[in-house]
């Protein structure tokens, strides 16, 4: 093993010792995966023992062992090795069956692994595996706990959009602190490359009639709306072919809304979905991700109906606006601790809530007015932002293309009341028909994403720039189905007649005991 290692690295040390860059290149040549920050830490500890910024061959061997020779691998290897140095094919087979639970493995399986992962020629020719080969096998995708067949798109992508959990981002333009940090185009690039399928664009009036994007009423920096759309145009479908939703948190004047509409149309071109698929409005169900492949959807407030928008398609409506009242829309940043509204109300009069639909009491609603440019309104097709009023109202009046945005505090109440069978049944039924998005989760809280996935919310919008448990759960969930950003819900969460509630799983549960050794 030592001779093999020496022969492999000696050419890189012919001209003398190497620095950090040379160390990285050599590790890459040896096909050793490493975390750059961890390597820098190990490298610094090594050079601190002597002056200078370069290392010898012996130093490199110590760094290599620190990165690669994990003690738990060594323990496993010695448990099956006859002499602590070599693993014959028969012993490797025993390891595969007993430790990896590959009950169908045979001598051919063991030999194939040796031929693929053993780097030392003389060991490989003897149908044996050294510790170096064992390490390479253990670090390979073959030993990943993640199912390799799920790394590709394997789910049915022809169901309505509301039948999928969708990878969603909140404050996508921020790359650090939410109050004083920089807004940056990299926020959008990074989220898109991770397979995110719903981006938030916080739009405000800028100078020279050019809308800007930033976190309103904070000290975060500003970036042009036009530049954001250019980045989205470039990276929208690089990691996933399935539809991308642009959730506009729109604070712009009608004049600058028209500039936004023009940017979306001219920059995105054919990618922008501006009319229903096939030119016909299906009021009964949303289209599927497959039908919307390579399309960008605009989520925003909308004036009138989809049919009215289609009648206006050939006309020039620049300069025309329509006023929407509080009942017609919900501001994307509305996330107070007010209880869920139960009754539709256009005036600030008190009405008693119908407690049969949901437990929380009624509070006096605030009346808001907003003007929307018809040019921007008409770009909204399947993702009209609609305020959640009550279950009864949604089930009676809501169109499939009208999406409810639910704030984090409201969502917590929904999760809390999900044990109530009637409440949960209403909510499950609602989310089987409509898109409920985007829920904004602030990662400083202890709540985890599963609380909201289990009550059937399709989109949980997270701060992608903030590491932590929530993003780890998000990354893990959306690795599934090829990392395309859409994960099909379990069948019982797609069934309108389901009796499932998180507290009453009934026959939907198949309990499992999972033991993990770290």
């Amino acid at each position: 093993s030592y001779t093999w290692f020496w022969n492999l690295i000696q050419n890189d040390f012919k001209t003398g010792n190497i620095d950090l860059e040379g160390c990285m290149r050599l590790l890459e040549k040896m096909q050793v995966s490493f975390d750059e920050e961890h390597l820098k830490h190990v490298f610094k500890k090594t050079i601190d023992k002597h002056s200078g910024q370069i290392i010898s061959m012996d130093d490199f061997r110590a760094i290599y062992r620190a990165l690669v020779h994990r003690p738990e691998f060594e323990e496993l290897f010695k448990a099956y090795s006859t002499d602590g140095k070599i693993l014959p094919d028969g012993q490797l087979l025993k390891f595969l069956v007993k430790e990896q639970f590959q009950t169908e493995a045979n001598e051919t399986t063991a030999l194939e692994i040796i031929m693929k992962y053993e780097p030392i020629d003389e060991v490989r020719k003897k149908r044996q595996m050294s510790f170096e080969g064992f390490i390479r096998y253990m670090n390979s995708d073959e030993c990943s706990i993640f199912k390799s067949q799920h790394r590709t798109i394997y789910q049915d992508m022809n169901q309505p959009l509301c039948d999928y959990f969708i990878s969603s981002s909140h404050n996508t333009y921020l790359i650090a602190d939410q109050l004083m940090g920089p807004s940056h185009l990299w926020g959008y690039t990074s989220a898109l490359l991770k397979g995110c399928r719903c981006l938030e664009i916080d739009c405000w009036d800028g100078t020279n009639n050019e809308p800007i994007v930033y976190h309103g009423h904070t000290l975060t920096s500003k970036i042009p709306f036009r530049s954001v759309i250019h980045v989205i145009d470039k990276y929208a479908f690089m990691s996933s072919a399935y539809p991308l939703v642009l959730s506009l948190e729109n604070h712009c004047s009608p004049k600058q809304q028209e500039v936004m509409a023009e940017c979306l149309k001219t920059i995105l071109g054919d990618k922008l979905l501006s009319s229903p698929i096939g030119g016909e409005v299906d009021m009964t169900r949303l289209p599927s991700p497959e039908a919307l492949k390579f399309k960008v959807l605009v989520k925003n407030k909308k004036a009138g109906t989809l049919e009215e928008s289609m009648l206006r398609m050939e006309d020039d409506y620049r300069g025309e606006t329509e006023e929407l009242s509080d009942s017609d829309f919900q501001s994307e940043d509305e996330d107070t601790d007010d209880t869920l509204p139960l009754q539709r109300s256009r005036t600030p009069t008190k009405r008693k809530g119908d407690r049969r639909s949901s437990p929380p009491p009624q509070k006096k609603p605030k009346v808001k007015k907003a003007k929307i440019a018809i040019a921007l309104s008409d770009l909204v097709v399947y993702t009209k932002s609609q305020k959640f009023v009550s279950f009864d109202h949604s089930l009676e009046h809501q169109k499939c293309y009208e999406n409810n945005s639910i704030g984090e505090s409201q969502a917590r109440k929904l999760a809390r009341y999900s044990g109530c069978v009637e409440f949960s049944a209403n909510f499950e039924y609602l989310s089987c028909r409509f898109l409920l998005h985007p829920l904004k989760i602030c990662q400083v809280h202890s709540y985890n994403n599963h609380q909201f996935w289990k009550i059937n919310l399709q989109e949980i919008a997270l701060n992608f720039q903030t590491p932590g448990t929530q993003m780890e759960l998000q990354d893990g969930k959306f690795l599934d189905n090829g990392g395309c950003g859409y994960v099909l819900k379990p069948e019982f969460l797609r069934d309108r007649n389901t009796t499932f509630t998180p507290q009453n799983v009934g026959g939907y549960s198949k309990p499992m005991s999972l033991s993990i050794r770290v």
Side-chain angles (χ1 to χ4, degrees):
S1 177
Y2 185 79
T3 307
W4 161 81
F5 189 81
W6 169 262
N7 291 337
L8 195 62
I9 70 171
Q10 61 182 347
N11 283 339
D12 291 77
F13 284 88
K14 270 186 177 176
T15 55
N17 293 345
I18 61 173
D19 59 8
L20 177 62
E21 288 295 321
C23 181
M24 286 184 182
R25 283 196 299 271
L26 185 48
L27 287 168
E28 286 168 356
K29 187 175 91 172
M30 295 173 74
Q31 297 181 319
V32 174
S33 57
F34 59 88
D35 176 82
E36 194 170 321
E37 289 305 312
H38 180 52
L39 173 61
K40 285 178 181 176
H41 172 73
V42 175
F43 189 88
K44 186 177 184 304
K45 278 179 70 176
T46 305
I47 61 173
D48 281 349
K49 294 174 186 174
H50 49 75
S51 58
Q53 296 293 316
I54 55 176
I55 56 169
S56 66
M57 286 180 72
D58 285 336
D59 289 333
F60 178 78
R61 186 163 187 259
I63 289 171
Y64 173 83
R65 290 178 69 87
L67 292 175
V68 176
H69 287 207
R70 287 165 50 181
E72 62 269 31
F73 286 171
E74 215 160 341
E75 186 186 323
L76 266 176
F77 182 80
K78 286 178 177 176
Y80 287 87
S81 170
T82 49
D83 59 1
K85 296 177 182 178
I86 292 296
L87 201 63
D89 55 355
Q91 288 300 105
L92 175 60
L93 179 58
K94 283 183 183 179
F95 167 79
L96 294 173
V97 173
K98 190 174 178 182
E99 302 289 346
Q100 304 297 79
F101 297 97
Q102 293 186 28
T103 52
E104 295 177 6
N106 53 34
E107 287 184 5
T108 304
T109 312
L111 186 59
E112 285 173 352
I113 289 171
I114 289 170
M115 293 301 164
K116 187 174 181 180
Y117 295 104
E118 178 52 53
I120 304 172
D121 290 340
E122 55 266 35
V123 176
R124 190 171 59 246
K125 286 173 185 174
K126 292 177 182 177
R127 299 165 65 108
Q128 296 174 337
M129 182 172 262
S130 68
F131 183 51
E132 294 294 338
F134 186 72
I135 289 167
R136 280 157 176 72
Y137 168 64
M138 292 299 290
N139 282 323
S140 72
D141 283 345
E142 285 188 50
C143 291
S144 171
I145 197 168
F146 190 82
K147 286 185 178 179
S148 57
Q149 58 267 42
H150 289 189
R151 293 186 187 277
T152 57
I153 295 163
Y154 68 95
Q155 294 178 340
D156 179 4
M157 301 304 287
N158 291 295
Q159 299 304 312
L161 281 178
C162 55
D163 282 355
Y164 298 83
F165 294 117
I166 305 170
S167 177
S168 307
S169 169
H170 172 48
N171 288 349
T172 317
Y173 46 88
L174 295 179
I175 57 171
D177 180 73
Q178 294 199 74
L179 298 177
M180 293 182 288
S183 302
H184 202 283
L185 296 172
W186 173 248
Y188 288 99
T189 306
S190 175
L192 287 168
L193 291 176
K194 288 179 182 176
C196 183
R197 294 291 86 192
C198 181
L199 306 176
E200 183 181 62
I201 309 179
D202 201 342
C203 313
W204 298 80
D205 281 354
T207 55
N208 303 319
N209 202 34
E210 282 290 333
I212 53 173
V213 175
Y214 84 111
H215 199 191
H217 311 301
T218 68
L219 299 177
T220 56
S221 58
K222 303 170 176 67
I223 47 178
F225 177 81
R226 190 179 299 274
S227 300
V228 170
I229 303 306
H230 273 296
V231 166
I232 289 168
D233 178 55
K234 182 177 180 180
Y235 292 98
F237 302 108
M238 209 166 268
S239 294
S240 173
Y242 292 101
L244 174 67
V245 178
L246 304 185
S247 182
L248 303 183
E249 190 170 318
N250 186 0
H251 306 276
C252 290
S253 62
K255 187 178 180 183
Q256 294 209 14
Q257 288 180 38
E258 290 194 336
V259 176
M260 290 166 61
E262 192 59 29
C263 283
L264 289 164
K265 287 192 280 190
T266 55
I267 296 170
L268 296 176
D270 291 341
K271 293 188 186 86
L272 181 68
L273 185 82
S274 55
S275 61
I277 298 290
E280 293 182 6
V281 184
D282 183 354
M283 291 298 183
T284 60
R285 59 181 270 161
L286 286 164
S288 68
E290 190 67 32
L292 293 168
K293 256 184 169 180
F294 300 108
K295 288 296 180 184
V296 177
L297 283 66
V298 175
K299 177 180 179 284
N300 190 57
K301 297 177 278 287
K302 183 176 181 67
T305 65
L306 203 48
E307 293 90 342
E308 288 167 349
S309 295
M310 291 178 70
L311 292 173
R312 287 194 293 260
M313 281 177 68
E314 302 303 317
D315 300 318
D316 186 356
Y317 274 80
R318 276 179 294 183
E320 294 208 18
T321 64
E322 188 162 321
E323 191 170 77
L324 302 177
S325 72
D326 166 70
S327 299
D328 295 313
F329 70 91
Q330 174 171 2
S331 171
E332 299 299 333
D333 53 3
E334 229 175 73
D335 190 20
T336 64
D337 284 324
D338 292 347
T339 52
L340 287 172
L342 303 180
Q343 299 293 337
R344 186 174 179 85
S345 178
R346 290 184 179 269
T347 56
T349 56
K350 291 184 179 178
R351 294 183 64 176
K352 291 183 179 178
D354 179 358
R355 292 176 184 253
R356 287 176 302 171
S357 297
S358 136
Q362 168 72 13
K363 276 197 177 181
K364 186 176 179 179
K366 299 171 186 176
V367 172
K368 292 183 181 179
K369 298 283 182 182
K371 284 188 176 178
I372 182 166
I374 294 297
L376 182 61
S377 169
D378 284 355
L379 296 182
V380 177
V381 183
Y382 295 117
T383 44
K384 175 185 176 182
S385 184
Q386 186 73 23
K387 186 170 183 176
F388 177 75
V389 179
S390 71
F391 290 127
D392 290 341
H393 178 270
S394 292
L395 295 171
E396 188 176 346
H397 301 288
Q398 194 165 329
K399 304 289 192 297
C400 67
Y401 58 82
E402 294 176 335
N403 312 157
N404 295 133
S405 293
I406 299 170
E408 183 178 355
S409 58
Q410 285 191 341
R412 288 183 206 148
K413 291 182 177 73
L414 291 173
R416 204 155 48 234
Y417 285 112
S418 63
C420 166
V421 175
E422 187 177 356
F423 179 92
S424 189
N426 276 330
F427 197 75
E428 301 290 346
Y429 185 72
L430 188 67
S431 50
C432 283
R433 294 178 61 189
F434 313 114
L435 275 177
L436 304 179
H437 79 169
L439 172 65
K440 301 171 185 176
I441 299 296
C442 178
Q443 280 102 309
V444 297
H445 295 302
S446 60
Y447 294 90
N448 72 55
N449 322 33
H450 284 287
Q451 286 186 296
F452 306 112
W453 282 323
K454 73 183 181 184
I455 58 171
N456 220 2
L457 288 173
Q458 289 92 342
E459 297 189 351
I460 301 174
L462 297 178
N463 299 316
F464 269 47
Q465 78 279 11
T466 308
T469 302
Q470 286 90 345
M471 271 311 298
E472 287 167 0
L473 286 168
Q474 163 91 4
D475 291 343
K477 187 172 190 70
F478 289 102
L479 270 178
D480 198 8
N481 203 29
C484 74
Y486 286 83
V487 173
L488 189 64
K489 294 178 187 176
E491 191 174 349
F492 61 82
L493 287 181
R494 293 182 273 135
D495 179 7
R496 294 187 184 188
N497 300 313
T498 186
T499 57
F500 170 86
T501 73
Q503 280 72 24
N504 179 32
V505 294
Y508 302 109
S509 175
K510 294 178 181 177
M512 172 189 297
S513 178
L514 180 63
S515 176
I516 299 176
R517 180 186 173 196
V518 179

